[in-house]
Amino acid sequence: MFVWIVVGGVVALVIALAVFLVLGSRFPDPARKKGENAFVDGSEVASLDADPTVDISLVIPAYNEIERAPSMLKETHNYLTSVDMTFEMIVVDDGSSDGTAAMAQEFANSHEHVYVLKLAQNRGKGGAVRLGMLSARGHRMLMVDADGATEIKDLEKLMEEMDRIEKDGNGVVVGSRAHLEEESIASRSFFRTILMHGFHLVVKILCVRSIKDTQCGFKLFTRRTAHKLFLLQHIERWAFDVELLYIAEHFKFPISEVAVNWQEIDGSKVDPVSASIQMARDLLRIRALYMFGLWSMNLH
């Protein structure tokens, strides 16, 4: 009887593992849904296959950010118009229900070089960033959160670091809050602190070893690197940053981490418990599915 219980347990485990491993196609599906081939103003989106036409593209994923995004957009646009760079700002509305897309388009109507891409349905932050990156025209591409938690002036630090490390057109520079960890521990609950340290440990063991802070929403890519990473990206929720860095490490692209000024902004939509469970699952998917070859590092 005991033997049959053990055998049954093993069979169930194998079946569960098989189901887990097939949770995703070998190649990601970057296909756009109806209405996603153009910005809200009717202008066509670009393609990463095309040559860049501006110095930098800022991709700003936004989900129900009608309260926090306006000040961030204004501050960011003011900064970009004050420096010697050609630019575009792409706000990607990720299926918001609070009028975020309309607010962003109203801002775009009165500010040059701002575009709004409205997704047909909620994809998750990773999905929104990917569609934004695949629509951008920049020589370099910055992913930046809509809450304005990171000071936009720190873009200068990332650009200088990219100038230093870029090789063969490739490079990733990650804004980092690691230097603020002790201060954040003092203001976080014990439970949130345990989740933070646990997540960092799992990321380091399973996926990314070269970067301390994988989750800061302030990352700079060269166009060539963005083309490679975002066409290979599968994860569309919170762990997508980890997958991008995992792929970048695999290809030995130059990667660097730069301390940025960051402050927590009220109004976060993230539930730490459910997000942690989802991220833990996705970290296992990243490691297992690439390791077993069910997710490919090749585009063809």
Side-chain angles (χ1 to χ4, degrees):
M1 185 62 156
F2 176 74
V3 173
W4 285 111
I5 293 175
V6 172
V7 171
V10 171
V11 171
L13 183 62
V14 170
I15 293 174
L17 180 60
V19 171
F20 171 77
L21 290 177
V22 298
L23 286 178
S25 61
R26 182 173 174 80
F27 302 108
D29 180 14
R32 298 175 187 269
K33 299 185 183 300
K34 185 178 180 180
E36 295 177 350
N37 286 310
F39 295 116
V40 172
D41 66 3
S43 58
E44 290 188 2
V45 300
S47 166
L48 277 178
D49 292 321
D51 292 331
T53 57
V54 295
D55 294 329
I56 188 162
S57 297
L58 275 69
V59 173
I60 307 165
Y63 177 68
N64 290 343
E65 291 287 1
I66 197 166
E67 296 293 334
R68 300 192 298 177
S71 59
M72 178 272 181
L73 294 176
K74 183 177 180 180
E75 181 180 347
T76 300
H77 195 272
N78 287 344
Y79 169 76
L80 291 172
T81 54
S82 72
V83 296
D84 186 23
M85 286 191 298
T86 55
F87 71 91
E88 65 176 358
M89 294 167 56
I90 300 176
V91 180
V92 186
D93 178 70
D94 189 24
S96 299
S97 58
D98 67 346
T100 292
M103 174 276 298
Q105 186 56 48
E106 184 178 350
F107 182 86
N109 291 340
S110 58
H111 295 79
E112 290 185 326
H113 316 305
V114 180
Y115 305 93
V116 180
L117 180 63
K118 184 174 175 59
L119 303 190
Q121 62 186 44
N122 177 262
R123 291 174 179 258
K125 182 180 178 182
V129 171
R130 178 175 62 190
L131 262 292
M133 289 287 177
L134 297 178
S135 305
R137 302 179 296 141
H139 174 66
R140 289 178 176 173
M141 336 273 279
L142 180 74
M143 174 188 103
V144 54
D145 287 344
D147 61 2
T150 305
E151 287 189 12
I152 188 59
K153 293 179 181 179
D154 282 341
L155 172 59
E156 183 177 348
K157 296 180 184 178
L158 271 64
M159 293 287 279
E160 290 176 352
E161 184 66 5
M162 185 67 83
D163 290 338
R164 187 184 71 84
I165 71 166
E166 183 178 343
K167 183 178 180 181
D168 299 327
N170 287 308
V172 182
V173 180
V174 178
S176 175
R177 304 159 297 180
H179 62 296
L180 301 173
E181 192 167 290
E182 289 187 11
E183 179 182 332
S184 67
I185 288 174
S187 62
R188 274 194 176 103
S189 68
F190 177 75
F191 178 65
R192 280 177 174 261
T193 299
I194 292 296
L195 286 179
M196 177 186 71
H197 285 301
F199 176 77
H200 289 169
L201 179 62
V202 174
V203 168
K204 188 170 185 178
I205 292 172
L206 293 179
C207 300
V208 177
R209 294 177 173 83
S210 63
I211 297 297
K212 292 180 181 178
D213 182 5
T214 60
Q215 299 310 112
C216 182
F218 202 70
K219 293 182 175 68
L220 182 67
F221 307 87
T222 65
R223 187 174 187 83
R224 183 174 183 179
T225 294
H227 184 278
K228 187 79 170 181
L229 300 187
F230 287 98
L231 285 178
L232 288 173
Q233 174 197 338
H234 292 79
I235 301 294
E236 294 194 317
R237 298 289 169 178
W238 300 110
F240 80 99
D241 306 73
V242 177
E243 183 185 11
L244 294 174
L245 294 171
Y246 182 80
I247 298 170
E249 284 190 344
H250 170 82
F251 286 110
K252 296 183 171 54
F253 291 156
I255 309 175
S256 185
E257 195 167 12
V258 174
V260 294
N261 293 296
W262 183 91
Q263 60 178 343
E264 190 165 354
I265 306 296
D266 291 338
S268 173
K269 315 297 187 301
V270 181
D271 174 6
V273 176
S274 61
S276 297
I277 293 171
Q278 184 173 10
M279 290 177 79
R281 181 201 66 187
D282 285 342
L283 292 177
L284 290 171
R285 292 175 69 199
I286 292 168
R287 180 65 174 179
L289 294 170
Y290 278 116
M291 183 171 66
F292 288 104
L294 294 177
W295 284 357
S296 176
M297 290 288 186
N298 298 307
L299 293 176
H300 301 290

